[in-house]
Amino acid sequence: MSSNASAVAAAGSLAAELDPGQVLLPGPGYDEARQIWNGAVEHRPALIVRAETPTNVQAAVRAARANGLPISVRGGGHDWAGRALRHDGLVIDLTRMRHVAVDRDAQVATLEGGALAADLIAAAAPHNLTAATGTVGAVGMVGLTLAGGYGPLAGKHGLALDNLLGADLVLADGRLVTVDATHEPELFWALRGGGGNFGVVTAMRVRLHPATTLLAGFIFFPWSQAADVFHGYAALAATAPDELTAQIGVLAGPDGNPFVYLAPAWSGDPAQGERAINQLEQLGTPLMSQVAPMAHADMLRLFDAHIANGRHYAGRTRSVKTFTPEVISAVVRAGDTLTSPLSGMPIHHFHGAAARVPTVATAFGNRQEHLMIEIFAGWEPTDGDDGARHRAWSDSVSKSLAPFALPGGYPNILGPDDHEQIQQAYGPNAARLRAAKQRFDPDGVFSATALPVSGS
């Protein structure tokens, strides 16, 4: 049976359980529903199911399996590779499931599967609470959390996944189960780092923390000072307190010329924070420094201009121990050869609380202090630009860093063709993770984040 025929059959079986507007075949509303962050993704699902309840999700999983349709899950839709949209498959769209409930006394938030980071922070703020998120408010919390979740509070509170307390998910056989430290603990272990490979998370519970006013913003340095700034940052990062988690990297101005940026987030005593920011400013002669007290919600908007929906993107990732001379040279060459003012390299410092979690405590494979490098090519979708030179740039930067990189890479950014990195991404947890996959999804129904398939 063709994918079109299978989709029509699945849609027919769902008609008795879902409203007509929740089931989309190609036609009215379909093209709008399949738009995600990366406009370069051209996948055309056979069927899109706009779930509103866990029961809807169960029905979609059963219909897909009964009709031989591969499944993907759309939350925030921010995966550059477009895995939210399975070509010729059934997409379970969770964008209508964004509710967040906060238990102020327990300091716990329960959020639905389609909730964004901005939704979580907005719900927690009136209770003077906050959460470990990524750096962008439009990113879906479930996808971010299940495979990692580097963010501005990682030094103080760990990765997003380190704050996951439990989840409700629909398994490949259509059952809805609850997992936490005492209910299906092996599945709970696998979820924290293994990505969306075990089911459709319809809700999850995350730990909240007392909110503090953050010192955050941007410090920009001229590109002529790049090598010195990166070298100096390595020395400061080696002794950085948990309260300081800074992102550093390469961006470009409208003219395409690169500059070094620092995006610090200080979550401790304000006076100590001012001294820490001053140290960062002294790494060079800033072109501009705008670091000020701000709410977490405002901090999540800082990068909005750099991640506009509909642009075309391609990504790679490498992790390194620190800014060695060789790494600095590779990063400077990358800035020198930028092919677009929309490309860049955000570099995240993994340290503090995140680095103190034992490697085997979760499926996340790299708990040593390191720098996680995002290598993102971005370009406008114009008729005269097919993206080849921009993708070649990101590929070449990744290759130039490979000799100095740690094994593997960050699963949330690794692409489907990054086979060698995928095999090493989970470190000593790979064999246990494969065993969990075989136990909970033996038919390989879910494949949102690549898993190692062989080796130890």
Side-chain angles (χ1 to χ4, degrees):
M1 186 183 296
S2 70
S3 61
N4 289 339
S6 295
V8 170
S13 70
L14 289 167
E17 300 183 68
L18 283 76
D19 293 334
Q22 291 181 259
V23 183
L24 292 177
L25 292 163
Y30 170 86
D31 283 332
E32 180 182 356
R34 72 180 184 89
Q35 297 305 307
I36 57 174
W37 168 66
N38 186 1
V41 174
E42 299 179 346
H43 303 167
R44 295 187 63 83
L47 180 65
I48 299 173
V49 178
R50 289 172 154 173
E52 297 179 0
T53 67
T55 301
N56 293 166
V57 174
Q58 290 178 282
V61 169
R62 290 171 177 145
R65 299 211 65 190
N67 293 280
L69 288 170
I71 296 172
S72 66
V73 182
R74 176 183 177 171
H78 259 260
D79 168 39
W80 72 269
R83 282 165 286 209
L85 304 178
R86 187 68 176 263
H87 188 70
D88 286 338
L90 184 150
V91 175
I92 301 176
D93 185 335
L94 302 180
T95 56
R96 294 183 176 183
M97 298 177 65
R98 289 175 55 178
H99 180 69
V100 180
V102 173
D103 184 331
R104 180 179 58 187
D105 294 333
Q107 297 189 2
V108 172
T110 300
L111 52 151
E112 291 185 317
L116 309 180
D119 298 329
L120 173 58
I121 295 303
H127 305 285
N128 200 31
L129 296 169
T130 193
T133 69
T135 56
V136 175
V139 170
M141 276 303 298
V142 169
L144 173 83
T145 299
L146 297 188
Y150 291 74
L153 299 181
K156 190 172 183 179
H157 298 305
L159 295 172
L161 72 83
D162 297 325
N163 293 271
L164 181 62
L165 300 175
D168 301 333
L169 69 159
V170 176
L171 299 180
D173 59 8
R175 288 183 298 134
L176 178 65
V177 300
T178 296
V179 301
D180 54 32
T182 57
H183 300 88
E184 294 288 3
E186 189 65 10
L187 181 52
F188 182 53
W189 175 88
L191 283 180
R192 290 173 293 158
N197 291 292
F198 301 94
V200 184
V201 173
T202 59
M204 67 181 189
R205 291 161 291 284
V206 300
R207 182 183 297 108
L208 299 177
H209 306 276
T212 58
T213 299
L214 299 169
L215 276 178
F218 285 118
I219 307 170
F220 297 151
F221 296 97
W223 191 242
S224 61
Q225 298 176 13
D228 290 338
V229 171
F230 289 129
H231 177 77
Y233 177 78
L236 288 181
T239 59
D242 293 0
E243 292 82 1
L244 177 64
T245 298
Q247 187 182 133
I248 189 171
V250 182
L251 289 175
D255 60 359
N257 291 323
F259 58 85
V260 180
Y261 80 92
L262 261 167
W266 175 270
S267 55
D269 175 75
Q272 294 181 26
E274 289 179 6
R275 290 192 290 271
I277 299 304
N278 182 254
Q279 284 185 301
L280 294 174
E281 290 172 333
Q282 292 180 15
L283 292 174
T285 304
L287 295 168
M288 181 194 77
S289 180
Q290 291 185 344
V291 179
M294 66 178 63
H296 197 151
D298 294 328
M299 184 187 61
L300 289 179
R301 300 186 187 102
L302 290 176
F303 286 94
D304 282 358
H306 300 281
I307 55 154
N309 285 353
R311 288 176 181 161
H312 289 194
Y313 298 94
R316 295 290 182 268
T317 182
R318 293 287 179 182
S319 293
V320 298
K321 287 185 178 181
T322 186
F323 280 123
T324 62
E326 295 83 4
V327 170
I328 291 172
S329 294
V331 172
V332 171
R333 283 197 302 273
D336 287 338
T337 56
L338 279 174
T339 55
S340 165
L342 303 178
S343 299
M345 295 175 64
I347 302 173
H348 304 259
H349 184 204
F350 181 96
H351 75 120
R356 290 194 292 270
V357 177
T359 303
V360 297
T362 70
F364 191 80
N366 183 7
R367 289 291 181 173
Q368 65 176 299
E369 184 168 345
H370 63 269
L371 299 171
M372 188 275 285
I373 304 173
E374 300 184 48
I375 309 162
F376 269 100
W379 64 99
E380 293 289 0
T382 61
D383 291 338
D385 194 341
D386 64 0
R389 63 194 178 98
H390 309 300
R391 286 188 289 268
W393 173 82
S394 64
D395 289 342
S396 68
V397 175
S398 177
K399 290 178 182 177
S400 72
L401 286 165
F404 321 111
L406 297 168
Y410 182 32
N412 259 340
I413 301 179
L414 288 175
D417 297 326
D418 295 328
H419 303 295
E420 181 179 350
Q421 286 181 267
I422 290 167
Q423 291 299 318
Q424 299 176 321
Y426 300 93
N429 296 322
R432 183 178 172 184
L433 198 53
R434 283 195 299 272
K437 178 67 171 177
Q438 182 61 34
R439 175 181 169 187
F440 294 106
D441 183 18
D443 297 326
V445 172
F446 301 107
S447 57
T449 306
L451 285 174
V453 293
S454 62
S456 59

